[in-house]
Amino acid sequence: METVSIVLFLLLAVVVSGAISRMLPISIPTPLVQILLGAVIGLSTSHRVDLDPELFLFLFLPPLLFLDGWRIPKDELLKDVSTVVELALGLVLLTVVGMGFFIHWMIPAMPLAVAFALAAVVSPTDPIAVSAIAARVPIPKRMMHILEGESLLNDASGLVCLRFAIAAALTGSFSAGAATLNFLWVAGVGLLIGVAVTLAVSRVKAWVTKRWGEDVGSQILVSLLIPFGSYMLAEHVHASGILAAVAAGVTMTYAEISRAAMASTRMRRNSVWDTIQFTLNGIIFVLLGEQLPAILEGAHQTVALTNHSSPWWLAVYTGAIVAGLALLRFAWVWASLRLTILRKAKQGVGVQSPGWRLVAATSVAGVRGAITLAGVLTLPLVLNDGTPFPARDLAIFLAAGVIVVSLILASIALPVLLKGLTMPPEPSKQAEEDSARIVTAEAAIRAVERHQHALAEDRGEADIYAAAGGRVMDRYRERIEGLSGQQADETRAGNRLVSELSLVGVKAERTALAVLVRDRLLSSETARKITRELDLAEARYRG
């Protein structure tokens, strides 16, 4: 009963935090509000949430990473795949090595293997935190796609480095060859399992639907189970469950194209996934805040490990680590973008050189979050000989500090760096969209015409079918004329006006419907049906 109460209390905290973040006179990202609210909860109650790192990873990360992989624009990711890979792999390795030696130099009491472990957990950026920051700060689309792609892939590389660092701390030995082979297994097999699980489930689902029809609830439940199944299967063979969940999400995009679900299934599934994303994102940051009082409570004992007495030294160490991470990231991003420009130049493609503000914004946007928290909590309590794991509490404190400071830094610095920043112009996709709409409308006209003739031949009464088919085809012809005619701009302006007036009409319909329901002149079932139609119409006109 206590566990259920804690879960319900966390859900309430997520709802309250969203309301508070909207009420505040200044723009503060919701994750920071959730961390503060979690800290208030931790200070005001005697109950503590004992986080099991493995359970935390399993419950929260697979569905969130699966959804990010599912919804991330694949063509945009492929456009900058070289930059993403350089950030997700090269930068992580540089951070682990560079920051590992720096932390050990700064805090000699922390063994080198533990310093590498701490550097490994603070190396991956967090897609959840990045998305949360982007919700309040208008990050340019291409930059956001690079950040999302990087954060999806660097989780695996950072956690694999953490695994090797822990093994080195426990055994006192390290083999670069074994580490490389293990990384290839962990990453490669994890990706293959994610792809295989999604394709297999999609084929079975399509076969069952074709023979016995589609059940909306079952379809949604299957989509929820795919990331957990991929994660569990990958972890069972000692591969990366995180990469398996990401690969499953990416594959889901292409599986859905070839085996489309019903419109009602897609709409309800999107609503369910939006709710899950909002809930899990919020709980993660509320839990982080709830853990902070206990971490800060032991600050005096923790700072003693560094041969200092003032807890403010922990703040100094945290600031130094954040500064080191930012400098390394700035240097790597600058070098990566320069290499991209050189590659484009060799291909004869002119590319505008990035300014320092763009590089700085990309550096500051490398926010740490749930991966860092879960990773540092997986540090073992004792070594193989039974002695306590060295500097574990210190590593947890510093990792938590890096998460909070990186969120605050991004919240303050990103709006300043991005204000008035001119990005390289992105090619307009309006022509592509118009062309696709014309092609689909022409296909619809041909299909309607064939079906109309077939009905007329089978049942007679050709005039009735011709009239009905004509009305349908006229709508498609109007679309084609509006998109391909010489007066396309005027047509689009007219379409905007039609949409605006249609929204006014929808609002009036809602008002009249509410009056009918209030006066009990309409049944609730009919009211729900009409409301749903109005919702769909409003979504179409606002789109």
Side-chain angles (χ1 to χ4, degrees), residues 57 61 65 87-89 91-96 99 116-130 147-162 242 325 329 365-376 399 402-403 406:
L57 283 171
L61 296 190
L65 295 177
L87 290 171
L89 296 180
L91 180 57
V92 166
L93 294 176
L94 176 66
T95 301
V96 171
M99 291 304 300
F116 281 138
L118 176 57
V121 297
V122 298
S123 61
T125 54
D126 193 317
I128 302 161
V130 171
L147 292 172
E148 288 177 337
E150 173 203 2
S151 57
L152 282 175
L153 297 177
N154 65 11
D155 301 334
S157 52
L159 292 180
V160 169
C161 292
L162 172 64
I242 288 176
L325 290 170
R329 186 173 176 84
V367 184
R368 274 66 184 179
I371 299 289
T372 296
L373 176 65
V376 76
V402 167
I403 295 171
S406 67

Side-chain angles (χ1 to χ4, degrees), residues 261-281:
M262 292 192 306
S264 59
T265 299
R266 287 197 301 274
M267 288 187 293
R268 293 182 189 179
R269 186 177 59 194
N270 286 337
S271 299
V272 170
W273 273 106
D274 287 340
T275 303
I276 289 174
Q277 184 181 38
F278 171 78
T279 303
L280 295 185
N281 280 346

Side-chain angles (χ1 to χ4, degrees), residues 181-201:
L181 290 175
N182 190 275
F183 177 79
L184 292 176
W185 169 268
V186 166
V189 174
L191 290 171
L192 288 174
I193 287 177
V195 172
V197 168
T198 301
L199 290 179
V201 171

Side-chain angles (χ1 to χ4, degrees), residues 191-273:
L191 290 171
L192 288 174
I193 287 177
V195 172
V197 168
T198 301
L199 290 179
V201 171
S202 298
R203 286 182 180 275
V204 172
K205 187 173 64 173
W207 179 75
V208 171
T209 299
K210 186 177 180 181
R211 295 198 62 178
W212 293 288
E214 181 171 306
D215 178 69
V216 174
S218 298
Q219 296 280 334
I220 296 173
L221 187 56
V222 167
S223 73
L224 295 176
L225 292 174
I226 287 175
F228 293 105
S230 303
Y231 184 93
M232 291 178 67
L233 186 57
E235 290 293 325
H236 182 69
V237 297
H238 305 290
S240 172
I242 288 176
L243 271 183
V246 172
V250 173
T251 309
M252 193 73 174
T253 303
Y254 303 103
E256 284 291 297
I257 292 174
S258 58
R259 299 174 181 84
M262 292 192 306
S264 59
T265 299
R266 287 197 301 274
M267 288 187 293
R268 293 182 189 179
R269 186 177 59 194
N270 286 337
S271 299
V272 170
W273 273 106

Side-chain angles (χ1 to χ4, degrees), residues 351-367:
V351 181
Q352 180 181 345
S353 178
W356 72 269
R357 287 173 62 193
L358 175 61
V359 178
T362 308
S363 305
V364 171
V367 184

